[in-house]
Amino acid sequence: MAKQPQPISPLKNFFAGGFGGVCLVFVGHPLDTIKVRLQTQPKPQPGQAPLYSGTFDCFRKTLVGEGVQGLYRGMAAPIIGVTPMFAVCFFGFGLGKRLQQRKPDDVLTYPQLFAAGMLSGVFTTVIMAPGERIKCLLQIQAATGETKYSGSLDCAKQLYREAGIRGVYKGTVLTLMRDVPASGMYFMTYEWLKNILTPEGKSVSDLSVPRILFAGGLAGIFNWAVAIPPDVLKSRFQTAPAGKYPNGFRDVLRELIREEGVASLYKGFTAVMIRAFPANAACFLGFEIAMKFLNWVAPGL
């Protein structure tokens, strides 16, 4: 295993992680919109065709009906949240590695990297849960033809007015169930791929852009392979009317399995996988570029 770089400063994490997150949202949001609409579309009545027959049908109908801006519906919430979220995410990963090191130069095993990644998932949930709730509601309202929220801030205000902070943070447990194991897989896979792609005698910090893109994109694929089932449950639960699922995700799971089968837990799979590679490749490339820039302009920061 190639030697790992030492944990970076929280301030550098903030700027580099935030820039990587902005890159991820900008590249990946259109397919995230498609994913959420596929996951939350109502079950068709007998004899009726579903609202969307698949990923490409949803993409076409969204583009025709709402234009390019329809694909970026609800992007303000994740954009606002990505800078602190990815700062906390990468900081959590660095902290998780540091806590497991007996000495500063210890090289961690892959299970230890997985555990460090899971800690980052815990850290990001505080920011991720309300952002996901607002994003999902804005993404589906255009498809229903009802305009209840004028934007992210208006959505947050209405949720708080209707149910307090609990309404804003609805779906937090499911966000944890999605992000903790998925983040472990995400960071472990990225570190593993960086190590195997590093030429003999070279440092992981010298990886070329294509190799960083490949490692980041494939890490995104592995991340979502773990995250899709809880993500489907989360999207359903966060966009459901108040009181529909009194027992939380268990009610959502029972309803989905009973009415649509196990395959329903993988709704939006195609959209997720098409999005995962370019979005996460952009994220890690943005992070690495920003980190190199910060190390150059402020090496002692």
Side-chain angles (χ1 to χ4, degrees):
M1 184 185 295
K3 189 174 180 180
Q4 299 166 23
Q6 294 304 307
I8 55 178
S9 73
L11 190 57
K12 286 181 180 177
N13 255 350
F14 179 86
F15 289 110
F19 182 71
V22 170
C23 293
L24 180 145
V25 173
F26 186 78
V27 172
H29 192 80
L31 279 163
D32 187 72
T33 297
I34 302 303
K35 177 205 72 171
V36 170
R37 290 187 177 184
L38 287 170
Q39 289 176 344
T40 58
Q41 66 175 320
K43 184 181 179 182
Q45 297 298 319
Q48 289 184 342
L51 182 60
Y52 308 115
S53 61
T55 299
F56 296 103
D57 181 55
C58 184
F59 180 86
R60 181 184 60 81
K61 287 180 177 176
T62 300
L63 198 59
V64 170
E66 303 169 53
V68 174
Q69 67 180 16
L71 296 171
Y72 283 91
R73 193 81 60 185
M75 193 174 75
I79 282 288
I80 291 169
V82 288
T83 298
M85 185 191 74
F86 273 80
V88 170
C89 179
F90 281 92
F91 172 79
F93 179 57
L95 178 63
K97 290 192 294 183
R98 190 182 221 170
L99 289 173
Q100 297 179 87
Q101 288 179 317
R102 294 176 182 271
K103 296 178 295 183
D105 59 348
D106 281 350
V107 177
L108 299 181
T109 64
Y110 291 120
Q112 287 176 314
L113 290 170
F114 185 87
M118 288 197 297
L119 183 63
S120 76
V122 175
F123 275 41
T124 57
T125 297
V126 174
I127 301 169
M128 180 71 84
E132 288 277 300
R133 167 94 154 121
I134 293 165
K135 172 182 70 70
C136 289
L137 288 170
L138 290 174
Q139 284 173 327
I140 67 165
Q141 78 165 359
T144 63
E146 177 189 357
T147 305
K148 183 178 180 181
Y149 310 111
S150 61
S152 299
L153 186 59
D154 179 57
C155 181
K157 287 180 178 177
Q158 289 196 46
L159 290 174
Y160 184 78
R161 191 161 53 242
E162 291 169 3
I165 196 68
R166 289 173 62 91
V168 178
Y169 274 87
K170 181 179 179 181
T172 297
V173 172
L174 280 164
T175 305
L176 276 169
M177 289 172 61
R178 183 194 67 176
D179 288 350
V180 170
S183 294
M185 181 64 72
Y186 188 52
F187 282 106
M188 183 190 72
T189 303
Y190 182 63
E191 295 291 333
W192 168 63
L193 287 168
K194 284 203 302 180
N195 284 327
I196 66 173
L197 291 172
T198 300
E200 191 67 32
K202 298 286 186 179
S203 168
V204 291
S205 61
D206 298 325
L207 276 180
S208 65
V209 169
R211 293 187 182 200
I212 292 172
L213 288 170
F214 179 77
L218 207 55
I221 295 286
F222 277 84
N223 170 79
W224 278 103
V226 173
I228 288 177
D231 186 63
V232 172
L233 298 177
K234 180 196 70 64
S235 295
R236 280 291 184 104
F237 183 68
Q238 287 186 319
T239 58
K244 182 175 181 181
Y245 301 116
N247 296 311
F249 73 90
R250 290 172 295 177
D251 286 349
V252 187
L253 179 61
R254 278 194 290 263
E255 180 185 84
L256 278 172
I257 298 297
R258 182 178 65 249
E259 296 185 359
E260 303 177 48
V262 176
S264 63
L265 294 174
Y266 287 88
K267 277 189 172 184
F269 179 85
T270 303
V272 167
M273 289 306 171
I274 292 173
R275 170 187 179 269
F277 193 96
N280 290 283
C283 174
F284 276 111
L285 180 62
F287 175 81
E288 298 287 358
I289 289 173
M291 188 55 62
K292 285 184 178 180
F293 176 76
L294 290 170
N295 287 334
W296 177 62
V297 298
L301 190 63

